[in-house]
Amino acid sequence: MEAIPFIDLKKQFLLLKPQMEKVLLDVAAGSHYIGGSEVGQLEKVLAEYVGVAECIGCANGTDALTLPLLAWGIGPGEAVFCPSFTFIATAEVVALRGAVPVFVDIDPRTFNMCPVDLENKIEAVKKQGRLKPRAVIPVDLFGLPADFKSINEIARKHDLLVLEDAAQGFGGEIDGQKAASFSGVGATSFFPAKPLGSYGDGGAIMTSDKSLAEVLRSLRGHGTGQSKYEHIRLGVNSRLDTLQAAVLLVKFSVFPQEIKARRKVAEAYSERLSPYVSVPEVPAGYGSSWAQYTVRVPAGKRDTLIKHLKEQGIPSNIYYPLGLHLQPAFASYPGLGNCPETEKACREVLSLPMHPYLDEPTLDRIAEALISGLTTEDL
Ligand SMILES: *Cc1c(COP(=O)(O)O)cnc(C)c1O
């Protein structure tokens, strides 16, 4: 049987091919490979979509998290609260600034940062008295916005900055408000596999704080001041290049449709799978961008199930096999209490093929294979 792609970027390319060929050649012929007009155009279009005053393009999603931390001067002696169940970049940027990532457990229903555990971890840091609680980085995991209503309130109470990691969440919403706008600053990624992906690396920061935006623009270009060779602060080189911006402008033209299509795919999956496995929950008022469609399966059956799917040409992935609080890279950061729900999720999660062009027969094939795998005796 024909192998099914986990994410079908090829189908998307073929659909957009005429426009892509034009813009790719236009950028090549125009020769403004860095800082071309497409970058500013994209920033304008995305800021409008998200509903913020400013969008600042940068080199990747990891830099989109790093730049606000630099702007805020986050560093040694400070605690930044991150979920443990996320991609490493969320917490890596904190540790590389010299601050301490403090890992927070998840709400088992949404896979997102648990507000109750956030409050517990803040209290634990305060009680210990060694670190100053400074910021929190909630993640819109798998495309579902985190519980910003609760988290923003806790942050206000404890005087913490909030940086939204919307690398997977771009296109998600709460009560009609778009992801990357739920706190003062939102970071997103244009890595090809993300909901809005380019043909390489890219990222962006969203904010309505004009003075912060000015600092971020300076920081992404070596701390420039009024002119190119005046440097008023130490910065980094983190540019979104013209070619990626041009690609993203074309892709953005179908992005809202793609989000709708992803939601249909997720609904169809859940309809078929909910009698057999625990399917992802979307709280009332929330909309996911469905970066991933992730179910929970019995931990003891997961490996054989993955093998069973693979034999039928169906790829699946484990996001994530290990909580960040247990990663060797963070071994020197003594955790403050554990993250049992993260550890349980790591044993049970399974992400299925997800993209806007997944058709019904393919979806049926995937669902049937998963169900037969779960219900076969010898598995
Ligand atoms: C992908 C991702 C990032 C990093 O984005 P890059 O563009 O790969 O640097 C950060 N956080 C989360 C949650 C991600 O999924």
Side-chain angles (χ1 to χ4, degrees):
M1 244 185 288
E2 201 192 326
I4 293 169
F6 192 73
I7 295 178
D8 201 340
L9 293 171
K10 186 126 186 222
K11 217 176 235 176
Q12 187 199 45
F13 167 69
L14 293 174
L15 210 79
L16 300 171
K17 194 170 175 225
Q19 296 104 294
M20 279 301 178
E21 282 178 337
K22 184 177 182 312
V23 302
L24 291 173
L25 277 174
D26 281 353
V27 172
S31 75
H32 292 291
Y33 305 129
I34 294 290
S37 61
E38 287 83 353
V39 178
Q41 274 174 50
L42 179 76
E43 289 177 337
K44 196 162 166 270
V45 165
L46 295 187
E48 206 164 286
Y49 173 76
V50 170
V52 292
E54 303 274 346
C55 165
I56 300 102
C58 62
N60 53 64
T62 306
D63 282 0
L65 292 167
T66 297
L67 289 164
L69 299 185
L70 279 171
W72 289 334
I74 285 182
E78 297 180 326
V80 177
F81 301 87
C82 311
S84 177
F85 193 58
T86 177
F87 182 58
I88 186 152
T90 311
E92 185 184 44
V93 295
V94 171
L96 284 176
R97 295 310 318 139
V100 174
V102 175
F103 295 110
V104 179
D105 208 358
I106 52 166
D107 179 333
R109 290 167 303 176
T110 60
F111 298 118
N112 277 330
M113 179 182 271
C114 169
V116 175
D117 196 49
L118 171 63
E119 188 112 55
N120 288 342
K121 297 280 157 79
I122 295 169
E123 295 299 346
V125 168
K126 285 190 166 169
K127 201 166 151 208
Q128 199 186 44
R130 286 195 306 119
L131 299 167
K132 181 180 161 35
R134 191 70 205 289
V136 52
I137 311 184
V139 177
D140 302 331
L141 200 77
F142 304 147
L144 181 71
D147 180 358
F148 277 95
K149 214 171 152 195
S150 308
I151 292 170
N152 286 339
E153 202 178 297
I154 293 167
R156 242 190 318 273
K157 191 169 115 191
H158 295 277
D159 199 19
L160 301 179
L161 296 157
V162 185
L163 169 58
E164 177 184 356
D165 182 344
Q168 301 179 14
F170 199 73
E173 58 204 288
I174 304 176
D175 296 329
Q177 189 186 335
K178 290 284 194 302
S181 77
F182 299 131
S183 63
V185 194
T188 198
S189 163
F190 304 126
F191 181 79
K194 308 284 171 163
L196 180 62
S198 57
Y199 288 171
D201 276 310
I205 307 159
M206 309 286 167
T207 185
S208 287
D209 181 338
K210 296 253 181 189
S211 56
L212 177 66
E214 197 183 314
V215 174
L216 293 169
R217 281 183 204 284
S218 164
L219 281 169
R220 76 170 170 185
H222 297 292
T224 41
Q226 289 305 314
S227 64
K228 193 174 174 189
Y229 295 109
E230 183 201 12
H231 304 280
I232 55 174
R233 56 174 66 82
L234 292 176
V236 296
N237 170 16
S238 185
R239 296 177 289 234
L240 178 66
D241 66 65
T242 311
L243 213 51
Q244 299 309 336
V247 166
L248 287 165
L249 278 167
V250 174
K251 287 219 193 183
F252 184 74
S253 67
V254 295
F255 183 68
Q257 269 158 262
E258 287 190 344
I259 291 293
K260 275 191 202 144
R262 283 175 186 270
R263 287 180 184 162
K264 275 213 176 105
V265 170
E267 243 171 68
Y269 262 138
S270 292
E271 220 168 80
R272 287 159 179 75
L273 298 176
S274 61
Y276 305 94
V277 293
S278 157
V279 299
E281 253 183 63
V282 178
Y286 282 60
S288 178
S289 64
W290 295 106
Q292 301 294 342
Y293 183 86
T294 304
V295 298
R296 284 179 191 258
V297 299
K301 279 193 177 180
R302 189 171 63 174
D303 285 349
T304 35
L305 202 53
I306 291 169
K307 203 166 140 257
H308 174 83
L309 290 172
K310 200 174 167 193
E311 280 162 8
Q312 301 187 47
I314 298 164
S316 59
N317 277 313
I318 298 171
Y319 302 117
Y320 294 89
L322 193 62
L324 296 188
H325 66 296
L326 299 175
Q327 287 286 356
F330 292 119
S332 60
Y333 295 87
L336 288 152
N338 50 11
C339 298
E341 289 298 344
T342 294
E343 290 172 35
K344 186 163 187 286
C346 289
R347 291 191 295 269
E348 297 179 343
V349 286
L350 189 64
S351 299
L352 302 176
M354 167 51 89
H355 60 83
Y357 306 101
L358 195 65
D359 58 33
E360 196 116 326
T362 310
L363 204 139
D364 282 332
R365 203 179 123 194
I366 298 166
E368 276 159 29
L370 187 75
I371 293 163
S372 78
L374 277 163
T375 49
T376 305
E377 278 302 317
D378 52 274
L379 260 177

